[in-house]
Amino acid sequence: MTDLPEHDVPDEVDRDGWTLAVRGLVREPRAFDAEDLGSLPTETFAEDFDCEAGWTAEGLSWRGVRVGDLLEPVEPAPESQYALVHAMDGEYACSFPLERLADAVLALELDGEPLPTVHGGPARLVPTGDGDCWESVKWVDVIELTAERPDDTAREIALGRVE
């Protein structure tokens, strides 16, 4: 399937009854389930995945929902400038300028198959373009829109695993 390394899945990660909450500075906070996401336009893109730990997974094929399409129905407030993307583990979170996050893909499939839990399923944030591997948030369950750049934990946690 893929040559992405597998890591332990935290106990807090539970695919059963999973939803993605989009909240914060939005007019219509909402929880999306898998069926809701399936009704949104999807796209597929292939990209190598380079990690600061020194490995590369080549030619991965991701399929999912563009975050910008996901944000439309929640109607971000005009003052929304940033978002904090949370993982189900309750610890990992990465902040993004909203404009950059809108271009990212919430991946639901990898190489034509449902995204395995060990690789971030049921949904993994895959930023497009240049970025750092730690910005690819596994097990996404909350996207929270804010006016100011929120504190995050992603870089510190990810680089702590490398050292």
Side-chain angles (χ1 to χ4, degrees):
M1 176 171 186
T2 179
D3 56 355
L4 275 175
E6 294 184 8
H7 299 284
D8 292 336
V9 176
D11 292 339
E12 298 85 1
V13 174
D14 182 8
R15 294 180 78 107
D16 296 333
W18 170 84
T19 60
L20 170 67
V22 183
R23 63 183 188 211
L25 295 177
V26 298
R27 289 195 176 95
E28 299 288 331
R30 181 169 173 194
F32 294 85
D33 61 20
E35 186 176 320
D36 295 328
L37 293 176
S39 70
L40 295 172
T42 60
E43 58 185 78
T44 301
F45 72 99
E47 192 168 272
D48 292 348
F49 191 94
D50 296 314
C51 183
E52 292 186 30
W55 55 265
T56 299
E58 296 180 346
L60 300 177
S61 178
W62 302 98
R63 183 170 183 78
V65 175
R66 184 76 57 182
V67 175
D69 291 336
L70 182 68
L71 295 177
E72 280 183 30
V74 300
E75 300 179 43
E79 62 270 22
S80 296
Q81 298 298 312
Y82 295 92
L84 188 61
V85 179
H86 298 264
M88 269 191 258
D89 70 359
E91 294 181 23
Y92 202 93
C94 192
S95 61
F96 295 88
L98 197 56
E99 182 177 288
R100 180 162 177 247
L101 181 64
D103 288 336
V105 171
L106 187 68
L108 308 170
E109 295 180 11
L110 177 60
D111 295 335
E113 299 290 330
L115 185 61
T117 305
V118 295
H119 295 309
R124 178 179 186 152
L125 182 73
V126 182
T128 55
D130 291 334
D132 295 305
C133 62
W134 46 266
E135 294 177 317
S136 182
V137 180
K138 296 178 180 178
W139 314 299
V140 175
D141 71 340
V142 175
I143 298 176
E144 183 175 0
L145 278 62
T146 64
E148 304 292 326
R149 184 174 191 104
D151 292 335
D152 65 18
T153 60
R155 185 173 194 277
E156 179 181 324
I157 290 172
L159 294 181
R161 293 175 184 155
V162 172
E163 297 168 352

